[in-house]
Amino acid sequence: MEVIITKDYDEMSKEAAKIIREQIVSKPNSVLGLATGGTPIGTYKELVRMHKEEGLDFCKVVTFNLDEYIGLPPSHDQSYYYFMWENLFKHVNINPENVHVPAGIIADFEAYCNWYEEEIKKAGGIDLQLLGIGGDGHIAFNEPGSSLTSRTRIVTLFEQTRKDNARFFKSIDEVPYFAITMGVGTIMEAKKILLIANGKKKAKVVAEFIEGPITSMITASVLQLHPNCTVVLDEEAASELKYAKEYRWMYENKNRIKDFQFK
Ligand code: F6R
């Protein structure tokens, strides 16, 4: 796992956007897995700027979102579909047919979840998966106790997650109880993972998932097993890491290998 510690939210967002830009430039028809929530808003803003000012081209990019609240129609201003269009899609030249956000209103849950998994496979799998992390260590909506091999399915949200997300709704009563989410196993199949986290509130769980044991109680901890995972943090989120100094040192020195010569 590569850990990159940046100064603040702004720098974290720019660093994450740079990694996504590299992915799109190196493979214009990249399949991106995307997250919602407060953390990626700055990253999406920076990607929009790169599109407008530097011509970053989304015309062949394909996207799959991690999750959606059950019961919210796409037109609901707290649906993840709405979030994605407001924060990214409507500002770039993405082909709407290439956008996949799981539906929140579904007749047959099981068939729909299987279909979503199949669509990811048909697209060739996810090249780069962007993730945030919940206060309880969840990735997507894989709450503590989720199987580390789980697939796309319907889950019940923890009460704490509903409380955390109530800040986006008029009141907690409006926060849905259920969500459709990619599973931990689905996420682990992405070729590259990029997890971002900021703020003091995430410091404890960030230290636990990077430096603690792998456990389904903190589903993000399974990322320790992923062969190509980058974590971009701001200083506050990195403040409880035991090896912060070493991560910085490794990051600062990683390009030296390019000049390395055998004598
Ligand atoms: C959202 C998602 C969630 C969030 C997590 C952190 O699509 O999958 O796992 O990434 O709850 O949310 P924020 O960024 O609001 O702290």
Side-chain angles (χ1 to χ4, degrees):
M1 205 185 272
E2 180 182 36
V3 180
I4 304 176
I5 302 170
T6 62
K7 193 170 73 194
D8 53 19
Y9 179 77
D10 195 43
E11 258 193 29
M12 176 204 76
S13 305
K14 288 186 174 144
E15 186 65 37
K18 248 200 269 172
I19 295 170
I20 298 170
R21 176 178 62 191
E22 264 167 40
Q23 174 64 46
I24 298 174
V25 169
S26 70
K27 185 181 174 199
N29 61 345
S30 283
V31 180
L32 302 180
L34 297 177
T36 59
T39 318
I41 290 177
T43 304
Y44 293 148
K45 225 177 172 177
E46 179 63 6
L47 286 172
V48 170
R49 188 200 64 74
M50 287 170 172
H51 168 69
K52 296 209 159 120
E53 293 175 16
E54 298 166 11
L56 182 63
D57 189 1
F58 286 79
C59 79
K60 292 190 184 134
V61 169
V62 177
T63 65
F64 286 89
N65 264 79
L66 287 167
D67 41 19
E68 178 61 285
Y69 289 117
I70 292 296
L72 299 192
S75 56
H76 192 289
D77 66 3
Q78 288 312 320
S79 75
Y80 287 168
Y81 178 95
Y82 189 93
F83 174 100
M84 288 310 302
W85 279 94
E86 282 306 304
N87 287 289
L88 180 66
F89 299 149
K90 81 173 187 191
H91 307 288
V92 297
N93 64 333
I94 197 157
N95 177 352
E97 285 177 11
N98 290 346
V99 164
H100 306 81
V101 181
I105 297 184
I106 315 162
D108 182 339
F109 288 142
E110 207 180 313
Y112 186 86
C113 293
N114 290 339
W115 173 82
Y116 201 69
E117 291 268 340
E118 279 309 309
E119 288 300 296
I120 296 173
K121 278 200 195 108
K122 266 203 256 165
I126 291 170
D127 291 303
L128 172 64
Q129 176 66 59
L130 177 65
L131 297 173
I133 182 169
D136 59 11
H138 68 226
I139 45 175
F141 274 136
N142 295 288
E143 300 283 32
S146 297
S147 159
L148 298 182
T149 60
S150 53
R151 312 300 306 186
T152 301
R153 66 202 189 288
I154 308 300
V155 293
T156 310
L157 299 178
F158 270 27
E159 193 50 14
Q160 189 56 48
T161 299
R162 291 186 64 248
K163 282 184 190 154
D164 287 347
N165 291 2
R167 68 190 195 276
F168 300 117
F169 290 81
K170 284 189 202 90
S171 82
I172 185 144
D173 302 331
E174 287 186 17
V175 185
Y177 285 80
F178 304 100
I180 175 170
T181 182
M182 274 189 209
V184 183
T186 322
I187 293 169
M188 285 293 281
E189 279 171 14
K191 292 168 196 117
K192 180 171 173 61
I193 304 270
L194 170 60
L195 187 148
I196 53 176
N198 70 289
K200 196 84 199 115
K201 263 173 72 181
K202 298 281 170 78
K204 186 168 171 282
V205 79
V206 160
E208 283 171 339
F209 102 82
I210 296 175
E211 297 177 337
I214 296 171
T215 166
S216 65
M217 292 299 120
I218 296 176
T219 52
S221 64
V222 76
L223 298 174
Q224 292 175 28
L225 294 176
H226 197 282
N228 191 356
C229 176
T230 298
V231 179
V232 184
L233 306 168
D234 73 349
E235 261 169 21
E236 286 188 350
S239 60
E240 292 193 29
L241 285 169
K242 197 168 151 205
Y243 290 100
K245 215 173 109 206
E246 284 74 12
Y247 304 137
R248 284 184 202 275
W249 192 88
M250 286 198 290
Y251 180 65
E252 281 158 16
N253 287 288
K254 80 170 187 177
N255 285 329
R256 283 176 174 229
I257 191 77
K258 288 186 189 146
D259 307 321
F260 190 81
Q261 305 242 325
F262 285 101
K263 298 238 159 75

